[in-house]
Amino acid sequence: MHPLLVALAVLLVSAAVLLAAAPTDPEPSPDLSPADVVRIQVEALQHNDEPTTDAGIETTFRFASPSNQAATGPIQRFSEMVKGPVYGDMIDAARAEFGPIAVDGDRAAQRVTLFHTDGRRATYVFGLSVQEGGECDGCWMTDSVARRAPALNGTQRI
């Protein structure tokens, strides 16, 4: 067999193995901390259209608690809300700054400030809780995300 054909065959097999081993879309899991859940959602929205259009919004919706999904869903309605004036700055941010996470039993909150290359900045507070029952039993999931006005003195309470 010609050496170029052998090299091509090896390359194709290697690519197939890498694609098969590629991580799947993140899913809620009892193994994830509340900080993990916030980071997964923020990073997904920072790269919203990777690997497909609105993949980040879909990931974010998966990590919304059942009560949050009931209030903001279905996914098309949720997507329109995220792209709207209150939450639109969550999409395609260049950088995220994560505040300390506050955990009180089965509830948690974390402040995140997002920075865009054009100078825009937006701060949001994620509210999370541990789910009881159902397929997400024991998972931290997002109950709410609230936009906060920038703090005048550089600090902000959550």
Side-chain angles (χ1 to χ4, degrees):
M1 186 179 261
H2 192 275
L4 287 177
L5 288 176
V6 171
L8 181 60
V10 168
L11 183 62
L12 288 173
V13 169
S14 298
V17 168
L18 285 174
L19 286 174
T24 59
D25 293 333
E27 297 280 342
S29 165
D31 296 332
L32 296 172
S33 71
D36 293 334
V37 171
V38 172
R39 187 169 298 276
I40 287 167
Q41 291 177 304
V42 168
E43 289 176 356
L45 291 172
Q46 283 182 281
H47 307 282
N48 184 49
D49 291 332
E50 296 172 22
T52 60
T53 302
D54 290 343
I57 291 174
E58 292 171 9
T59 296
T60 302
F61 190 70
R62 270 197 307 281
F63 282 89
S65 67
S67 62
N68 188 350
Q69 287 185 9
T72 60
I75 185 67
Q76 181 60 35
R77 181 173 164 219
F78 182 80
S79 178
E80 290 170 7
M81 180 188 70
V82 172
K83 292 177 181 180
V86 174
Y87 299 103
D89 283 333
M90 296 183 83
I91 297 174
D92 298 329
R95 184 171 65 87
E97 193 173 278
F98 296 85
I101 191 143
V103 179
D104 184 13
D106 64 353
R107 300 245 176 240
Q110 186 170 27
R111 180 184 43 81
V112 179
T113 301
L114 301 168
F115 301 86
H116 290 263
T117 56
D118 63 4
R120 284 179 295 138
R121 179 174 77 177
T123 299
Y124 297 89
V125 175
F126 285 70
L128 303 95
S129 65
V130 175
Q131 303 305 297
E132 293 183 18
E135 47 185 72
C136 292
D137 186 49
C139 297
W140 284 98
M141 298 183 85
T142 301
D143 293 317
S144 63
V145 178
R147 187 163 184 163
R148 295 290 188 243
L152 297 176
N153 62 0
T155 61
Q156 191 158 7
R157 294 173 32 160
I158 58 171

